[in-house]
Amino acid sequence: MKKILKRFFFFSFVLFSAFFAFSCKEKQQARTVRIAIQPSAAFIPLYIARYSKQIENALAPKNVTVVWQDFESGPPMNESLTADLTDIGVIGDVPTVRALAGATKMRLVGIPASGPNAYALLARADNSNFNSYKDLKGKKIATVFGSTGHNFVTKLLEKAGLSFEDIDFVNIQASNAELALTSSIADAVAIWEPNITRLLDKGVAKIVAQGDETNLRGTNGFVVRDEFLADNGDVISEILNQYAIAVQKIPTLEPEMLEKLSEALNINEEQIKSIVKKYDFSVSVTEKDIFTLQDTISFLASINNLQSEYRVATYVDNSYFKK
């Protein structure tokens, strides 16, 4: 009997120790992912995934906590990625290639959306002297420095046979686009959706030029720090997969979701339905995306905003998106 009891207590102790060790291991495996987002209609699927808690629910079995970070635009998001304060972010073409060229090693793991006409140069609605990109000379043009809007202005200037010396460049925050126009801080703003639709519908602005008048594709990127990827590739894969699922939800969005998107982007529900048609929502990085981003790198290097050109293809990794 004593032998049986000893064996019982021995095996009980072994089982308890194993369970305790397993529990400790599980606790050590608790992880956090910090996802940066900005109020651009290009990232509507990510907002859908956020408000429906798709990503949180998908990552819960992996003991992963999701932290959402809100930014006004790409450049400050880049700073957060570089400072190890953000793990994955969604940004435009110029911030994407800047991020990849930085000292902090990063990877392009997907393309959330592209859409040339999701970018436009807007002049004041009552300005009869500003009707096309051909009228840029001598004008005050505002946009976010280092953003896709900045890239767009450069392309328009090149098309008009002008340079930045021919305009007065005004650096603004995206949220100040309307103020820049209505207060005469600028004659025009280079901006993206949903700002374009919002300003047009308010009667404040008119379109002077659109992205498809240049070779701008409006290619946005999913950028992730290499250090985070090393141990959390499964987390990134799940985020990308949930993004793709959210894309499929766009045509049949429920009123409650439309209301949340309306609040986040500061536009009404009908405007949302109109704006999404301007985008090609995707995930995988295509050869066309690589070519476009390479063109952006060349542009930045030509104006000395990038130390040197590099091959963006070497920073692309499509393996994290499981179709």
Side-chain angles (χ1 to χ4, degrees):
M1 184 67 179
K2 288 183 178 180
K3 283 187 175 181
I4 294 175
L5 286 173
K6 284 182 178 180
R7 287 179 179 177
F8 173 78
F9 285 122
F10 175 77
F11 285 116
S12 295
F13 176 77
V14 170
L15 287 171
F16 176 80
S17 298
F19 176 78
F20 181 76
F22 178 77
S23 298
C24 289
K25 183 179 180 182
E26 285 297 295
K27 187 176 181 180
Q28 290 173 354
Q29 287 179 343
R31 294 175 288 173
T32 297
V33 59
R34 298 163 296 182
I35 307 174
I37 192 170
Q38 56 179 304
S40 166
F43 311 127
I44 280 178
L46 193 56
Y47 275 107
I48 293 171
R50 178 182 187 176
Y51 294 136
S52 63
K53 295 192 178 298
Q54 285 177 224
I55 296 175
E56 284 87 343
N57 293 336
L59 291 176
K62 297 178 180 291
N63 204 13
V64 178
T65 298
V66 177
V67 175
W68 291 94
Q69 301 172 323
D70 294 282
F71 289 84
E72 278 291 332
S73 60
M77 193 182 295
N78 273 0
E79 293 176 9
S80 187
L81 281 161
T82 300
D84 189 15
L85 299 175
T86 293
D87 301 311
I88 178 171
V90 281
I91 47 182
D93 61 348
V94 170
T96 291
V97 300
R98 282 189 179 282
L100 298 178
T104 301
K105 293 184 178 180
M106 301 188 201
R107 188 76 45 184
L108 180 66
V109 298
I111 301 293
S114 59
N117 287 346
Y119 296 85
L121 183 66
L122 304 179
R124 286 191 301 277
D126 61 354
N127 190 344
S128 59
N129 297 317
F130 203 163
N131 299 299
S132 81
Y133 68 89
K134 297 176 182 178
D135 301 322
L136 276 166
K137 190 170 184 177
K139 302 294 193 303
K140 292 182 290 184
I141 309 300
T143 193
V144 180
F145 183 86
S147 70
T148 311
H150 188 176
N151 187 19
F152 180 41
V153 171
T154 303
K155 291 179 180 297
L156 289 173
L157 287 170
E158 290 175 353
K159 187 171 183 178
L162 303 172
S163 70
F164 275 96
E165 294 181 356
D166 294 305
I167 65 170
D168 183 4
F169 185 87
V170 183
N171 182 27
I172 62 170
Q173 292 294 319
S175 58
N176 293 331
E178 181 175 353
L179 176 64
L181 279 179
T182 57
S183 65
S184 298
I185 290 174
D187 297 305
V189 295
I191 203 68
W192 46 87
E193 292 289 7
N195 301 284
I196 297 169
T197 295
R198 183 168 58 244
L199 296 179
L200 291 176
D201 287 357
K202 289 181 72 171
V204 173
K206 63 181 180 181
I207 293 177
V208 170
Q210 294 190 106
D212 66 358
E213 293 181 59
T214 68
N215 64 347
L216 184 80
R217 287 188 65 233
T219 303
N220 300 274
F222 278 109
V223 177
V224 187
R225 291 185 301 106
D226 271 18
E227 186 179 357
F228 184 81
L229 269 176
D231 298 314
N232 301 281
D234 59 326
V235 174
I236 296 303
S237 289
E238 197 58 66
I239 291 172
L240 297 178
N241 291 338
Q242 291 303 319
Y243 186 90
I245 291 171
V247 169
Q248 300 303 314
K249 292 183 177 180
I250 291 176
T252 57
L253 291 176
E254 298 291 335
E256 184 180 353
M257 180 60 71
L258 282 169
E259 184 178 347
K260 289 180 179 179
L261 293 173
S262 176
E263 183 178 349
L265 301 175
N266 195 23
I267 51 176
N268 63 46
E269 297 171 13
E270 290 305 312
Q271 289 172 326
I272 290 172
K273 294 176 182 178
S274 172
I275 290 171
V276 293
K277 297 176 183 178
K278 294 185 177 184
Y279 290 98
D280 173 21
F281 294 106
S282 58
V283 180
S284 294
V285 185
T286 67
E287 288 300 321
K288 193 171 185 179
D289 295 323
I290 293 173
F291 178 83
T292 302
L293 292 173
Q294 194 65 51
D295 175 72
T296 301
I297 290 171
S298 297
F299 141 69
L300 289 173
S302 70
I303 59 172
N304 298 317
N305 277 352
L306 198 63
Q307 286 188 348
S308 61
E309 292 194 39
Y310 66 92
R311 291 184 64 249
V312 71
T314 61
Y315 293 86
V316 173
D317 193 336
N318 271 318
S319 67
Y320 293 97
F321 176 50
K322 315 299 181 184
K323 296 182 180 179

